[in-house]
Amino acid sequence: MFINLQTPREDIKNLLLKINFFNDANETITHVTRPGEGNMNVVLRIETNLRSFILKQSRPFVQKYKDIQAPIERIDVEFQFYSSIENNILVNKHFPKVLKYNSENHLLILEDLGKCEDMTSLYDAHKIDLNQLRVLVNIAANIHNSKAPENYPENKELRLLNHQHIFKLPFIENNGFCLDDIQLGLEALSIPYKKDTLLKDRIKEIGHQYLSKGTTLLHGDYYPASWMTNKDSLYIIDPEFSFLGFPEFDLGVLAAHSIIITKDETYISRIKDYYPNEIDKNLLAQITGVEIMRRLIGLAQLPISTSIKEKEALLQLAHHLIMN
């Protein structure tokens, strides 16, 4: 059964009774709301006369862009991620607790973290607190140090979808996405990079590495929309892109968005210094560069107010990071 904001409360209650999440027939749903913008899945906040919780359900497509197919099993990957960090107290305190998982209905019920806000406001603030950055790096490190089971899902279909949007589509001429609809002049700015065969060959190599099987548990989508704050607490959500890969991927995404926010490339070295394990600094730089580029000239645009001149400088920096 698929549910959404329009599903009658009684139908939602019956489903929750059926999967043994509601154990008290007197528990009554009082409010059903959206806790925020969900890109991939249906996400609802359910309030009852006894408690509140977050209900998350996947579909065979991207919830925000229903014409893009996506594996419905991604909700299982998210559950497997939470299971893998369950015994790591250093990291699980930064994630919502799993209250119930029902594979038949592709349903994950999570702790309600309360009035959290995602950290996309950093794009407008143009700065990121170094203490927060250190916490984000430490959380990533503790994810990477968590022991995933040998049969951890490869998440191949979702990675292939992500691979298209990170390493391929942004660098194809006439890809059907007019960048001037985003910002006048952006299309012309992108053309030299779409025509640069050496750049595209290097990005192709990095993309192959992304698709290869690694040994490190990754979040897989470690950027401000996945970071949440509530007063002094910092949480991470949405690990549905998780897989076993290389740590430089999570860290490179973190570095890229730190640079997009601040326009300061020294955040790469800061992240490297904060990270307690050995990493490949060249691979970190390359992932950083690819993520900057794909967020500026790809389909997955960010809520940023950045001038064409600033984007030109960021693209030049990204090119340098990828090619050196």
Side-chain angles (χ1 to χ4, degrees):
M1 174 184 174
F2 289 132
I3 61 174
N4 55 40
L5 204 56
Q6 288 72 45
T7 304
R9 294 177 190 175
E10 195 62 27
D11 290 351
I12 298 175
K13 177 179 177 177
N14 288 337
L15 175 61
L16 296 177
L17 283 167
K18 181 182 176 182
I19 66 172
N20 297 317
F21 181 65
F22 274 12
N23 297 313
D24 184 347
N26 292 320
E27 185 165 9
T28 303
I29 296 173
T30 57
H31 295 90
V32 179
T33 56
R34 291 174 61 189
E37 288 293 327
N39 286 341
M40 292 297 296
N41 305 298
V42 171
V43 183
L44 302 174
R45 171 177 280 119
I46 310 291
E47 297 177 66
T48 79
N49 56 326
L50 302 177
R51 54 183 167 168
S52 69
F53 50 88
I54 300 299
L55 188 152
K56 191 169 184 179
Q57 190 176 46
S58 58
R59 301 283 194 273
F61 49 80
V62 176
Q63 180 62 23
K64 190 174 181 179
Y65 306 103
K66 293 180 174 57
D67 57 326
I68 301 177
Q69 292 187 334
I72 198 168
E73 297 82 10
R74 62 187 179 272
I75 203 76
D76 179 65
V77 175
E78 182 161 349
F79 173 67
Q80 295 295 337
F81 176 90
Y82 287 125
S83 299
S84 296
I85 65 167
E86 185 177 14
N87 295 320
N88 186 339
I89 193 170
L90 294 174
V91 69
N92 66 23
K93 65 182 179 180
H94 293 288
F95 284 85
K97 293 179 176 61
V98 174
L99 304 180
K100 185 75 176 181
Y101 174 60
N102 180 258
S103 59
E104 180 184 353
N105 291 285
H106 311 288
L107 198 65
L108 185 63
I109 301 175
L110 299 168
E111 170 191 11
D112 186 353
L113 296 173
K115 293 183 178 179
C116 285
E117 294 183 356
D118 71 36
M119 294 176 68
T120 54
S121 60
L122 292 174
Y123 296 120
D124 287 330
H126 304 298
K127 62 180 179 180
I128 179 168
D129 182 84
L130 290 181
N131 289 326
Q132 284 186 329
L133 181 71
R134 191 184 293 273
V135 171
L136 287 164
V137 173
N138 285 337
I139 293 171
N142 286 313
I143 292 170
H144 300 163
N145 290 336
S146 297
K147 180 67 175 174
E150 290 184 7
N151 63 345
Y152 194 81
E154 288 189 35
N155 208 4
K156 199 75 171 186
E157 285 187 63
L158 200 53
R159 282 163 67 194
L160 284 169
L161 176 64
N162 220 21
H163 177 269
Q164 284 280 106
H165 284 269
I166 298 174
F167 300 99
K168 294 187 74 173
L169 290 174
F171 307 100
I172 296 174
E173 293 184 73
N174 304 314
N175 59 13
F177 183 59
C178 181
L179 290 167
D180 281 346
D181 290 343
I182 302 297
Q183 189 172 10
L184 195 62
L186 190 55
E187 185 67 39
L189 202 60
S190 73
I191 295 300
Y193 302 103
K194 293 176 179 178
K195 290 182 177 292
D196 189 331
T197 54
L198 290 177
L199 173 69
K200 294 201 289 185
D201 285 346
R202 178 67 59 83
I203 291 170
K204 185 177 180 180
E205 292 172 9
I206 303 166
H208 282 316
Q209 191 163 352
Y210 169 80
L211 289 176
S212 64
K213 187 172 182 178
T215 57
T216 300
L217 180 66
L218 302 184
H219 177 276
D221 200 22
Y222 206 62
Y223 82 116
S226 299
W227 313 335
M228 308 289 288
T229 55
N230 184 354
K231 297 180 181 178
D232 294 329
S233 299
L234 199 156
Y235 299 101
I236 310 297
I237 61 169
D238 294 344
E240 63 232 350
F241 284 93
S242 175
F243 63 101
L244 297 182
F246 50 91
E248 292 85 358
F249 183 76
D250 277 348
L251 297 173
V253 171
L254 168 58
H257 289 268
S258 298
I259 292 170
I260 291 170
I261 290 163
T262 64
K263 315 299 185 292
D264 182 354
E265 66 180 284
T266 64
Y267 275 80
I268 299 176
S269 58
R270 283 196 177 106
I271 288 167
K272 184 178 180 297
D273 290 342
Y274 292 163
Y275 192 72
N277 305 331
E278 284 294 320
I279 53 173
D280 183 333
K281 65 179 183 180
N282 291 327
L283 182 57
L284 172 63
Q286 289 172 341
I287 292 294
T288 302
V290 172
E291 177 69 8
I292 290 172
M293 276 200 168
R294 76 102 168 192
R295 290 296 189 171
L296 296 181
I297 63 172
L299 282 67
Q301 292 285 314
L302 297 169
I304 57 175
S305 53
T306 305
S307 70
I308 283 292
K309 281 290 184 185
E310 288 173 319
K311 288 183 178 179
E312 182 178 21
L314 284 170
L315 287 168
Q316 289 171 352
L317 170 61
H319 182 275
H320 172 76
L321 292 171
I322 295 167
M323 298 305 294
N324 285 350

